[in-house]
Amino acid sequence: MTKLFDRYKETASLPLGEACSLPFAVYKDSQVAELEADNIFHQQWVFVCATGMLTEVGSYFAFTLAGESVAVVHGKDGHIRAMSNNCSHRGTPLLSAGFGHIEKNIVCPYHAWTYSDNGELKGVPFDAGKCVDKQRHELPKYALQEWMGLLFINLSDNPSDLLSSLNKINPYLQHYKMERFTQVYGGASEHWNSNWKLAVENGIESYHLFMVHRETLEVNTPSKKAYYIAGDADWSLTGGEIVEQRSALSRFFSGDTPEPLNHYVLIYLPPGFIGILTYESFDWIAVTPDGPEHCFVHGGGMAEHAPDKSDKASSEFAAAFLQEDKDICELVQSGMGSRHHKGGTLLEVERIVVDFHQYLAKHLFGAQVSPFHESDAAGMFK
């Protein structure tokens, strides 16, 4: 196993020009999955959901993060906090997975231990002798920070300052006036037969659009019009031209969108947040692991106006390209058992994949990685 870890570190640390795909075994191996859970998903900042999904007192989002059951709750005191979703008695998950609402208290479905919405233990049935130390049995709390209307959680004891890193992205997004996006919506929630890293790599690079999405995304955001903007192992931005589908007559009457708003920006926040920003909306998927060969993929978005539920064409379009991504990731996963390949060279168009690999090298192995890089396209966004 040490040999595989060494190969993982060496390959993930390589800069563009030398970089290649990771050893296939790291997409299947259970010890690699444990290493990633311990050093990344239980130590680094991970996207949870949009703040706008938890506006009501009592609203919550419960999910499993690399084996840890977590709940993010909007308490009666007006604060949104993150805490363990496991009962302190015998570990039973307290709140049902997904979005929900707490009417009064959090009650364990096993023995009815009762907690407040801030995690304090309030009641223990049949404890006439008061033998349970309620303070000792409070639910553990986790760090929670907000950026651009998005919530991120950190399970570690000494989390870094998320905003000191992510606020560096803000200048590139100023033209999009994201403060307009007050309408938040949920999207797909799926379970893929794919390692989480494959789903991330596929989601962040535009190289595959012309092949996998030739009748969907490629029509509007072609591979040949994609480019790198800026980034490193902490975050990355790429972009691409949105091909104009309106007729010349339509453009004459409605006007043209000013540059750079004819372009999208892909915002990658490792480990698993992938957002697509246009002047009309900010949509995303979030990827988290479920063991070595499966992952969860959750979608969502925000816009100035609520989505038109009668717009079947748009929803069918989104479902179609997400299914294409799922199919290709599951196909690639089926090839990860091969022991006779060393991994192919990564091209300039895959620079963002190199950034992701260097994130892995940095946080799994403490490797020294390439510095921040900004391309010529960055000037268009600042």
Side-chain angles (χ1 to χ4, degrees), residues 242-264:
I242 301 172
V243 175
E244 180 60 76
Q245 299 296 320
R246 296 179 299 162
S247 67
L249 183 62
S250 174
R251 292 196 299 273
F252 175 80
F253 283 110
S254 62
D256 289 324
T257 304
E259 294 285 356
L261 303 180
N262 284 322
H263 299 247
Y264 68 86

Side-chain angles (χ1 to χ4, degrees), residues 57-58 74-79 81 102-105 116-117:
V57 171
H74 187 149
K76 295 182 181 70
D77 59 2
H79 293 288
R81 53 177 57 85
I102 301 167
E103 294 300 327
K104 185 177 180 181
N105 295 308
S116 68
D117 61 14

